[in-house]
Amino acid sequence: MISQSNLGRYECVDSSTNTKKYWHLMYDKTKGKYIAIWGRIGNRGQETLYEGDSTAMKKVQEKLKKGYVLKSGHETVIGNNAENFILSIQDREEAA
């Protein structure tokens, strides 16, 4: 598994281009896969699965190059399976 410090919620916000996106990376210990939930801030988002540490770390690096920033204060959740993942309180409020 990649370092837990790389797991969590990343955001890319640029008011000049009206960009407000998030990308939340989690790890499913049961399946040995990474799950990313991503989309526009304020929307529920979509889900993408990644296999392998190198693939997940490559996506993290891509997001950082695009201007995404790892946000502190968000839950970094590592559950037993995908159904038990809990997003941060902000994610749940935005999805409502």
Side-chain angles (χ1 to χ4, degrees), residues 3-49:
S3 170
Q4 286 188 20
S5 64
N6 290 308
L7 298 174
R9 181 184 172 103
Y10 293 78
E11 291 183 358
C12 182
V13 177
D14 182 353
S15 58
S16 67
T17 60
N18 197 27
T19 300
K20 297 177 184 176
K21 300 183 275 187
Y22 70 93
W23 186 74
H24 196 127
L25 183 64
M26 299 167 279
Y27 184 72
D28 181 339
K29 292 191 287 188
T30 304
K31 296 179 182 176
K33 295 181 182 181
Y34 294 88
I35 298 173
I37 298 180
W38 55 274
R40 186 168 171 82
I41 294 174
N43 292 337
R44 186 167 179 81
Q46 300 177 51
E47 184 177 298
T48 303
L49 294 175

Side-chain angles (χ1 to χ4, degrees), residues 8-9 11 24 70-76 88-91:
R9 181 184 172 103
E11 291 183 358
H24 196 127
L70 181 60
K71 303 302 283 186
S72 61
H74 290 277
E75 298 172 14
T76 300
S88 68
I89 293 171
Q90 181 178 353
D91 288 335

